[in-house]
Amino acid sequence: MRFSILGETLARRDDGTEVPLGGPARRALLALLLTSPGDVVSADRLAEEIAPGGSVSAHALQAQVSRLRATLGAAAIERAGAGYRVVVDPDDVDACRFERLAGEGRTALSDGDSARAVALLHEALGLWRGAPLADIAGSESAQAAVARLEECRLGALEDRIEGELRLGRSRAAVPELRGLVGRHPLRERLAGLLMRALFAEGGQAEALVVFEETRQHLAEELGADPSAELVALHREMLSVDPSPSPVAPPAPLTSFVGRAGEVDEIAGLLRVARLVTLTGPGGVGKTRLSVEVAGVADDDVCFVEIAPVRDGTDLPQVVLGALGLRESGLQPGGGGQTPTERLITALSDRVLLLVLDNCEHVIDEVAALAARMLAACPRLRVLATSREPLAVIGESLWQVRPLDEAAAVRLFTDRADAVRRGSAADTGRVRRVCAAVDNLPLAIELAAARLRTMDLHDLAGRLDDRLGMATARSNRTADERHRTLRSVVAWSWELLSASEQRAARRFTVFAAGATAAAARQVCACDGETLESLIDKSLLEFAGGRFRMLETIRAYGAERLEAAGEDDTVRRAHARLVLDLARTADPHLRRDEQLEWLGVLAAEHGNLLAAARWAVRAAEWGTLLDLLASASTYLWIRGLPASVAPQAAALLDALAALDALDALGDRPPAGLGEEYVACVLLAAAAPGGSAVWQRHRARAEQSLAAAWSGALAGRHPAVLLPWMMRNATEDDPGRAFALVASQHDCPEPWVRALARYVSGFALLGEGDTAGAEQAFGAAVEGFRSVGDRWGNALALDALAGLAGASGDRTTAIALTDAALALTEQLGALEDSADLLVNRGDHVVDDDARAARAAYARAAALARRAGSSTYLAAALRGLGDMALLDQDPAEAERLYTEALERTDPHWVKSAGNRVRTLAGLARVAETRGDRTTAVARYRDAADAATAVLGAADRDSLRMMGLPESVIDAVSPR
């Protein structure tokens, strides 16, 4: 039998038929017993609740109970001492079932399973039929029970709406939230949910109005200010998000002809299928169709060009780059995650349409990556373009076919009119030209572009002569259509002048496009030639850069090799990239840092292409110089892993040539510093620790030789990752001493770095005042040259000192200043790290602010795909759960944090100690002294592994709170 008290009191048999319960007294009696199934309710309370203020005799009460027993069964209600209890399974009572489902929904929401949470909460809320306990008179105890259920219902509503917002259903949530906020104007969580829903729909101004109205209600009704969480949300909406944005689909430069219906159908297919692949021959218009579909998508879109990828193992890194995610933060070391793991972390709870364009040449790698991402990221959808299916379970295919005749004619006429109005007036000849190229859009556009210099009659004749096309070709296979397009490209190519052909084939070495100056230099041509190639649709120009369609670029690359120019031109291209990296390097440590970071970011694809060519051509000297010259850019932007394969190949080649082994412990002559940069870059990739251990000793000799005495190396930025790498070794002192000894270096950035490192050495000697002076001098040094990278590091160090001395106000101000710098650099991981530090500084005085900081840090770390920074944020949230006396939640958060922490990375050391100490405190709350002692011992060992000792001063250097120091330091 099932019972309902969320509304009028009802009882139903298993077949659904209603059981007649009788008059109001019996309904009230049953409702009272069902509020706590199995618990004894005294006869006096039952009598008072049935008739408040009146008198119900024990005999009358017993008579009502007997009638209920007769209706429900004698075993349903039993006498127990001085009262009665109902004997039913709590899950047979709708209120109990509601509370169970609501609790499970809340747990699923906290675990990140939004879809399951929403389903559970919908089921729970569906049990409500009206006001709860409607048959009970209004006594105080009854009112308290009603109030508790109503509060639980409101909390479940909030949880359900939050889950729906996470699933991207903000538009549907806005009307419901407006009504709820109107009925509950003082409920801040509802206000925050409405603000988020409005903001997601582009209503930033409306969201800010909601905040202001809530603030006024709180002030007038309660004399209180909004919570730290609501204030933080308001501040975030006022500011521009500093995180990098995903690459948007390219903006179309021409009209879209002939496929509007397909756009709508594919968009509809993507609403029910999470992987859709557009297949068809080259030139059929798959890319343009994907761009149009992305343009009508409701979700965020990231457009990834796969065509430039030559090695399938680089694919995850390319997708990370398109998402705007850096490999690591300012602090070197990526936490040991592979690029694929970082992708999954970043996309695990994100609503996104990922467009993967031109996948055919790395089809197996794309298929494997897409399958893994879709399995781990439930809110992700993928739209791929390829000449063949990915062959992944769940894939929906859309065959992109050539245009029909009418659309082909419209496309040709539109493009022809753009180059010479009225040149395509003869519709019959236009049909012949379009049929000759199988109505393929790219081929039509290439042919139409020729009308600038010839008439339609000549064009049709040349197509027939050059391609030998006839009507019998209408049944060609896909491969034959590909050869047709190739023929069109070849024909268009052969119509170029010799100087245009030379410039076009040389331009193919630019994997990321080129500026006009770069194109003229490598192609050995003038600006007029480049403009002519634009006119003839061989080149495009947008955003100050020349680019070439991939189909044309692939053909041109073959022409370059056939002309015997491949190595010559690629060597010139590599020299150009090297010269740019050399020119930019000193600017990256000065006030013009942001400008030059942007310049190098635009050339990143060319940097990778030059490095790959240097490996193929065994140009090891060029590669060493290139990697070292680009190392400052790579470290600041967190991209060392993007060149790690080339750096590792270089080291392997030198070893195979005995170029290193023959030297013994001596550094490579004249290239010692470049060698060190190469070792550090190779070690930055997941699994790079073996490279580091194999080359560390020789690299130390090389760096010492480059920076000894009055000598100053050519690549100062190498010193910082070198120090950070060595900080976890058995004897980090030599690395610290090498950097700290550069106080008199002529390079001001190096002098600032020396002061920064000296601060840590002074801390190790117990000289806190000296350390503070050194860090302050480092801040001034970095600030004087305009470097935000080093400035943020030094400010963070000063904040740590202030926090350790108890000056939280100063610590917070310094941390906020460092945060402002990391936001300028677009450093998601570093911002997350600083937010955790901020939470640690304020936790004792403002738990709300600390919780908000940890939560924001976790969100940024997830977006960045950074497991190590997420571990720090989870540790902070674990501290909050312990503060809230929720040891089960604290243990869950601490355990996940410990699993994500890299024990070999110096930045993780303090967090690991605090996490282990937190687990020890959880054990103490449960009275498990044995586990607590073991955990505290683990924490002390973790501190000793980094500091060499676990004394109080050493532990305080790590920024640990006194409570943790008390627990883990020797007694």
Side-chain angles (χ1 to χ4, degrees):
M1 194 173 292
R2 291 294 181 100
F3 300 90
S4 300
I5 58 175
L6 298 178
E8 181 187 5
T9 305
L10 298 175
R12 288 188 173 87
R13 298 182 181 90
D14 291 341
D15 62 1
T17 58
E18 186 174 339
V19 179
L21 296 175
R26 258 169 278 165
R27 290 180 182 277
L29 174 62
L30 180 58
L32 285 166
L33 292 171
L34 289 172
T35 56
S36 53
D39 293 343
V40 176
V41 183
S42 69
D44 291 341
R45 182 187 167 198
L46 289 172
E48 174 63 23
E49 295 283 359
I50 292 173
S55 59
V56 175
S57 66
H59 177 74
L61 178 64
Q62 186 175 4
Q64 295 291 348
V65 171
S66 296
R67 292 188 182 103
L68 272 179
R69 283 175 168 168
T71 301
L72 302 176
I77 301 175
E78 65 181 20
R79 179 83 184 193
Y84 298 88
R85 65 183 168 200
V86 63
V87 184
V88 298
D89 187 336
D91 218 43
D92 289 335
V93 181
D94 60 354
C96 299
R97 194 158 66 256
F98 162 76
E99 292 189 85
R100 175 181 63 79
L101 290 168
E104 291 176 358
R106 181 171 292 111
T107 299
L109 189 65
S110 66
D111 290 341
D113 191 349
S114 300
R116 181 169 181 270
V118 168
L120 287 167
L121 291 162
H122 265 296
E123 183 181 352
L125 292 165
L127 297 171
W128 284 69
R129 297 171 295 104
L133 303 173
D135 292 295
I136 301 179
S139 69
E140 290 185 3
S141 60
Q143 290 175 6
V146 170
R148 185 185 66 79
L149 285 170
E150 290 283 9
E151 175 63 24
C152 189
R153 178 175 180 268
L154 192 54
L157 271 171
E158 291 172 332
D159 289 338
R160 192 210 78 211
I161 293 171
E162 181 173 336
E164 289 174 338
L165 292 183
R166 292 185 187 181
L167 292 173
R169 303 171 188 169
S170 53
R171 183 173 303 172
V174 169
E176 182 180 11
L177 280 168
R178 287 191 188 279
L180 288 170
V181 170
R183 294 192 295 275
H184 305 280
L186 301 179
R187 200 165 179 97
E188 293 187 71
R189 187 182 180 194
L190 284 174
L193 290 171
L194 178 56
M195 290 169 65
R196 291 184 186 280
L198 288 169
F199 192 85
E201 293 302 310
Q204 181 182 20
E206 293 179 89
L208 297 177
V209 169
V210 171
F211 174 83
E212 184 58 27
E213 291 175 347
T214 303
R215 187 192 65 77
Q216 290 179 3
H217 281 302
L218 290 170
E220 293 169 1
E221 299 292 330
L222 303 178
D225 293 326
S227 65
E229 290 87 346
L230 200 63
V231 171
L233 176 60
H234 177 251
R235 185 182 301 115
E236 181 180 353
M237 289 181 176
L238 286 172
S239 63
V240 177
D241 192 337
S243 61
S245 300
V247 172
L253 301 177
T254 56
S255 60
F256 184 60
V257 176
R259 301 193 195 274
E262 290 187 66
V263 171
D264 294 336
E265 291 185 61
I266 296 168
L269 182 59
L270 273 169
R271 295 187 187 101
V272 296
R274 296 182 56 219
L275 171 61
V276 175
T277 303
L278 309 183
T279 62
V284 78
K286 301 184 294 296
T287 296
R288 181 60 187 272
L289 185 56
S290 73
V291 169
E292 296 296 328
V293 173
V296 300
D298 294 328
D299 301 338
D300 289 341
V301 176
C302 177
F303 194 91
V304 187
E305 293 182 303
I306 307 297
V309 178
R310 289 292 170 261
D311 185 349
T313 60
D314 294 336
L315 183 63
Q317 189 65 43
V318 170
V319 179
L320 278 173
L323 285 165
L325 302 180
R326 306 184 319 145
E327 178 62 23
S328 62
L330 291 178
Q331 303 290 355
Q337 277 192 307
T338 66
T340 300
E341 290 167 342
R342 284 170 51 77
L343 271 177
I344 290 172
T345 302
L347 299 177
S348 60
D349 198 35
R350 185 170 177 181
V351 179
L352 183 76
L353 173 63
L354 185 66
V355 182
L356 304 176
D357 186 43
N358 288 317
C359 302
E360 52 272 357
H361 60 300
V362 284
I363 192 74
D364 293 336
E365 292 83 357
V366 172
L369 181 63
R372 186 168 177 190
M373 288 193 298
L374 288 167
C377 309
R379 305 172 72 187
L380 175 69
R381 296 182 188 278
V382 175
L383 176 63
T385 74
S386 176
R387 295 179 190 176
E388 61 181 299
L390 301 188
V392 172
I393 294 175
E395 179 185 32
S396 292
L397 298 178
W398 184 276
Q399 180 71 39
V400 183
R401 303 186 183 280
L403 297 172
D404 60 39
E405 182 180 85
V409 169
R410 289 201 309 274
L411 177 63
F412 185 96
T413 304
D414 178 85
R415 302 304 190 256
D417 283 346
V419 298
R420 185 156 61 95
R421 185 162 297 278
S423 59
D426 188 337
T427 305
R429 281 202 172 97
V430 170
R431 288 197 188 96
R432 282 181 57 200
V433 169
C434 293
V437 294
D438 273 345
N439 292 339
L440 290 172
L442 177 59
I444 290 171
E445 298 210 21
L446 288 170
R450 301 308 302 153
L451 292 186
R452 185 175 184 274
T453 56
M454 66 175 62
D455 62 33
L456 183 59
H457 174 79
D458 290 338
L459 176 64
R462 290 201 184 196
L463 273 172
D464 289 340
D465 293 341
R466 174 65 183 84
L467 302 175
M469 294 181 180
T471 55
R473 305 195 72 166
S474 59
N475 292 324
R476 286 185 296 263
T477 66
D479 284 343
E480 289 171 334
R481 281 195 296 269
H482 173 70
R483 287 197 293 271
T484 297
L485 175 61
R486 179 181 176 81
S487 296
V488 172
V489 174
W491 160 78
S492 184
W493 188 279
E494 289 176 11
L495 290 177
L496 300 175
S497 68
S499 61
E500 288 170 343
Q501 286 187 2
R502 182 171 59 252
R505 67 175 179 256
R506 291 177 177 179
F507 189 89
T508 62
V509 300
F510 289 103
T515 64
R520 289 196 301 268
Q521 179 177 333
V522 172
C523 299
C525 68
D526 55 22
E528 185 177 345
T529 302
L530 295 175
E531 291 176 7
S532 178
L533 290 174
I534 293 174
D535 290 340
K536 296 171 182 176
S537 298
L538 272 296
L539 286 181
E540 296 177 346
F541 185 78
R545 296 180 72 82
F546 290 90
R547 297 184 184 277
M548 180 177 277
L549 291 174
E550 188 59 30
T551 305
I552 299 170
R553 183 167 170 258
Y555 182 86
E558 294 177 6
R559 299 296 90 204
L560 182 69
E561 187 171 356
E565 294 184 315
D566 191 69
D567 272 346
T568 300
V569 178
R570 292 189 183 280
R571 183 174 289 104
H573 173 259
R575 174 57 57 182
L576 176 80
V577 176
L578 175 57
D579 289 344
L580 177 63
R582 285 173 172 169
T583 301
D585 181 65
H587 296 286
L588 296 177
R589 298 182 295 277
R590 298 176 187 167
D591 190 53
E592 56 270 34
Q593 181 181 56
L594 293 180
E595 175 188 348
W596 282 91
L597 282 173
V599 169
L600 289 179
E603 302 292 345
H604 188 74
N606 288 321
L607 168 65
L608 298 183
R612 287 192 290 263
W613 168 80
V615 171
R616 292 196 304 271
E619 292 277 350
W620 306 121
T622 298
L623 183 57
L624 267 174
D625 203 357
L626 178 62
L627 293 178
S629 298
S631 61
T632 304
Y633 155 72
L634 293 167
W635 286 116
I636 292 178
R637 280 301 179 104
L639 296 170
S642 66
V643 298
Q646 287 74 42
L650 187 150
L651 294 174
D652 290 343
L654 292 178
L657 294 170
D658 293 331
L660 293 178
D661 292 340
L663 294 170
D665 290 331
R666 291 183 292 110
L671 295 173
E673 201 172 3
E674 286 81 357
Y675 163 67
V676 175
C678 184
V679 170
L680 289 167
L681 292 170
S689 58
V691 174
W692 172 249
Q693 293 301 328
R694 186 163 62 251
H695 293 274
R696 180 194 168 210
R698 187 178 287 112
E700 183 176 6
Q701 292 284 334
S702 301
L703 196 64
W707 290 86
S708 62
L711 295 176
R714 299 178 300 281
H715 304 289
V718 170
L719 294 171
L720 183 56
W722 173 260
M723 182 197 72
M724 297 300 294
R725 274 282 172 190
N726 277 278
T728 57
E729 299 295 337
D730 295 336
D731 183 15
R734 290 201 306 272
F736 277 64
L738 171 64
V739 183
S741 65
Q742 303 301 319
H743 281 284
D744 298 323
C745 179
E747 167 69 60
W749 188 90
V750 176
R751 294 199 301 270
L753 179 63
R755 291 179 173 86
Y756 171 70
V757 175
S758 296
F760 291 106
L762 291 167
L763 271 180
E765 298 167 5
D767 186 358
T768 305
E772 182 176 10
Q773 183 178 2
F775 290 143
V779 167
E780 292 302 318
F782 288 126
R783 186 177 294 158
S784 69
V785 297
D787 174 37
R788 297 156 185 81
W789 186 31
N791 198 353
L793 293 174
L795 286 170
D796 187 32
L798 281 173
L801 279 180
S805 67
D807 186 356
R808 294 191 180 93
T809 301
T810 300
I812 294 168
L814 290 167
T815 301
D816 287 346
L819 265 169
L821 296 173
T822 59
E823 288 175 359
Q824 290 181 41
L825 290 166
L828 285 173
E829 299 95 330
D830 304 317
S831 295
D833 183 44
L834 288 165
L835 281 165
V836 170
N837 293 347
R838 194 181 199 282
D840 292 343
H841 292 318
V842 303
V843 66
D844 292 334
D845 298 324
D846 191 344
R848 279 188 174 186
R851 183 180 286 104
Y854 295 139
R856 174 69 173 149
L860 285 178
R862 289 187 189 278
R863 289 182 65 183
S866 173
S867 183
T868 299
Y869 285 107
L870 179 57
L874 292 173
R875 186 274 305 160
L877 292 172
D879 291 348
M880 292 294 96
L882 205 54
L883 191 64
D884 293 339
Q885 298 182 350
D886 188 350
E889 177 66 3
E891 184 174 33
R892 184 188 71 80
L893 291 164
Y894 285 139
T895 301
E896 184 179 354
L898 195 62
E899 291 171 352
R900 292 178 177 274
T901 299
D902 178 6
H904 303 294
W905 187 36
V906 66
K907 190 65 177 176
S908 299
N911 185 62
R912 180 175 174 81
V913 173
R914 295 181 74 153
T915 304
L916 289 166
L919 286 168
R921 294 201 303 275
V922 169
E924 283 183 332
T925 63
R926 294 175 174 166
D928 186 354
R929 181 62 182 167
T930 301
T931 300
V933 170
R935 286 297 193 184
Y936 280 131
R937 186 177 296 114
D938 291 342
D941 291 342
T944 302
V946 176
L947 300 172
D951 58 89
R952 300 185 67 86
D953 289 340
S954 297
L955 292 167
R956 197 172 285 114
M957 285 169 52
M958 301 175 71
L960 300 179
E962 291 297 320
S963 59
V964 175
I965 294 173
D966 289 341
V968 304
S969 60
R971 297 295 194 272

